[in-house]
Amino acid sequence: MINKRLKAGIKKIHKPEERLRFCLGTLVLLACCVILLIIGTFTQIKINFNIPDNGILSYLKFEYIPQIPIVLFIAALLGEFWGLLAILIYIILGLTPWYPVFALGGGLSYIFQYNFGYIFAFIFAVFFTTQQLKRGNSILNILLSVLYGVCIIHVIGIFYMTIIALLRHDSWNFISNVIYFQSFAKILYDIVFSFLAILIAKGSRKLLWILMN
């Protein structure tokens, strides 16, 4: 009898589509994920590489904000419903005048900021990432979910940013520079760190099923 229950529990844990049930623990986890996303918004990783070479790669300065990997971590950890809810809470908080949780502040007027498109795209990234993750836990499937999530954020972000720049009558040189620093210079890092984030979330999710179910 114990072996049957154990096997049933393990089988349930490995279901990628299984939703976290509504309970106090889930609400606490939801709040922690929103706080983690806020922290990630204001966290900057700085790493300097000194390479013994006289060429252009002799010194590399690496600065990275891990916001997108955290978004995909939340998607893989909480699943579709709770992941979307966490992102919506973050966006709603940021659009209020009381909680400036976005990188450049907050308030309803933030929708006219260049980078709001990236934030808005978190919703679509979580949805498509979780849909892909439902298909299994293979490395290829996780990589596809990362590519979907990261590319969706950057495509929507670039499109939104271009529209705002055109409405402000900015020059194409300015637009291209902003797009480069907001997307092209970061997208590879987003893919690598998001892949690691989802792997960590997958392991954490199994542990959560044991503790919460």
Side-chain angles (χ1 to χ4, degrees), residues 5-204:
R5 290 180 179 178
L6 182 59
K7 290 179 180 179
I10 293 174
K11 184 178 180 181
K12 185 177 181 182
I13 290 169
H14 284 279
K15 282 186 177 181
E17 72 277 4
E18 196 73 34
R19 180 190 294 184
L20 290 171
R21 63 188 179 89
F22 179 82
C23 63
L24 178 60
T26 303
L27 295 179
V28 171
L29 184 62
L30 176 68
C32 290
C33 285
V34 174
I35 293 173
L36 178 63
L37 184 53
I38 294 173
I39 293 174
T41 301
F42 299 98
T43 300
Q44 190 174 60
I45 301 173
K46 296 183 179 181
I47 302 176
N48 297 326
F49 294 96
N50 289 308
I51 303 175
D53 178 57
N54 294 325
I56 192 171
L57 295 179
S58 60
Y59 180 75
L60 292 175
K61 185 177 181 181
F62 176 78
E63 296 184 356
Y64 181 73
I65 297 175
Q67 193 178 33
I68 291 178
I70 290 175
V71 169
L72 298 193
F73 171 85
I74 292 173
L77 181 66
L78 298 184
E80 179 184 344
F81 177 80
W82 295 102
L84 287 172
L85 184 58
I87 298 302
L88 287 173
I89 290 173
Y90 171 75
I91 293 176
I92 291 172
L93 284 175
L95 292 178
T96 65
W98 308 288
Y99 302 100
V101 298
F102 298 149
L104 301 177
L108 194 59
S109 62
Y110 201 90
I111 61 176
F112 298 108
Q113 291 286 346
Y114 293 109
N115 66 335
F116 182 73
Y118 292 91
I119 299 172
F120 179 70
F122 292 167
I123 299 172
F124 300 95
V126 168
F127 175 79
F128 284 101
T129 296
T130 53
Q131 293 302 308
Q132 183 63 36
L133 288 175
K134 288 179 180 180
R135 300 184 179 183
N137 295 320
S138 67
I139 296 298
L140 177 60
N141 194 62
I142 292 175
L143 180 59
L144 287 175
S145 67
V146 168
L147 292 176
Y148 288 158
V150 172
C151 290
I152 285 170
I153 291 173
H154 282 282
V155 168
I156 295 178
I158 290 173
F159 178 78
Y160 192 96
M161 185 165 44
T162 302
I163 295 299
I164 296 297
L166 290 175
L167 291 175
R168 294 184 177 183
H169 304 288
D170 294 321
S171 66
W172 280 108
N173 184 55
F174 173 81
I175 295 174
S176 61
N177 286 334
V178 174
I179 291 175
Y180 173 79
F181 285 108
Q182 289 291 331
S183 286
F184 295 152
K186 299 178 180 179
I187 191 169
L188 180 60
Y189 299 130
D190 286 334
I191 292 173
V192 173
F193 285 109
S194 294
F195 183 82
L196 296 176
I198 288 183
L199 289 180
I200 295 173
K202 283 289 186 180
S204 301

